[in-house]
Amino acid sequence: MHFDHVGIATPDAAGLAALFAELFDAPVAHEETFDGMSVVFLELENGYFELLEPHEEGAISKFLDKRGGGIHHVAVETDDIEAALRTAEAAGIDRIDEEPRPGAWGHEVAFLHPKSTGGVLVEFVSH
């Protein structure tokens, strides 16, 4: 496995994308509307910033209401997401997703519960 991206909740994905593009010389690699939100991926040399702007009620809008903008999750890429979920289960990790599900950019994703991972929402992603 290796680092894939950090997900950042924001009320203004376009504005934050413009700031990060200038600040980090991070070009937009992909944009889409997915699952009731705007999703913008900014490319860095060793991964991505994934900017998440909600357009309807859901996990990201609740996160923004409770905590404001900021880091929402950390994603690691795996070649075998089902095996990664089995490893997490064997380690006693609570999983939000029992099975992989469709994610942004056409990837399969699965999340681990932060109460089992040191307070960090961890996402497995398979390209």
Side-chain angles (χ1 to χ4, degrees):
M1 289 189 208
H2 67 270
F3 173 78
D4 188 77
H5 69 268
V6 60
I8 301 170
T10 178
D12 180 11
L16 191 56
L19 173 69
F20 282 1
E22 182 178 343
L23 186 62
F24 303 122
D25 191 26
V28 172
H30 179 76
E31 294 180 76
E32 69 179 275
T33 300
F34 173 79
D35 203 22
M37 63 187 143
S38 293
V39 181
V40 180
F41 284 86
L42 298 169
E43 188 170 3
L44 299 167
E45 187 174 319
N46 58 346
Y48 300 93
F49 285 128
E50 178 190 36
L51 309 180
L52 306 162
E53 176 188 344
H55 297 293
E56 58 188 48
E57 189 65 27
I60 301 301
S61 64
K62 290 176 186 173
F63 181 92
L64 287 170
D65 289 345
K66 186 174 182 180
R67 297 182 182 93
I71 295 175
H72 178 262
H73 66 272
V74 174
V76 292
E77 183 183 358
T78 176
D79 291 333
D80 189 342
I81 197 168
E82 285 140 355
L85 285 168
R86 287 191 301 273
T87 298
E89 180 181 28
I93 302 296
D94 291 326
R95 292 156 296 146
I96 292 171
D97 297 301
E98 299 292 323
E99 300 287 330
R101 60 183 164 94
W105 212 340
H107 301 152
E108 284 193 308
V109 301
F111 287 88
L112 305 180
H113 202 287
K115 71 180 180 180
S116 295
T117 54
V120 177
L121 180 60
V122 174
E123 175 187 13
F124 290 138
V125 60
S126 178
H127 295 217

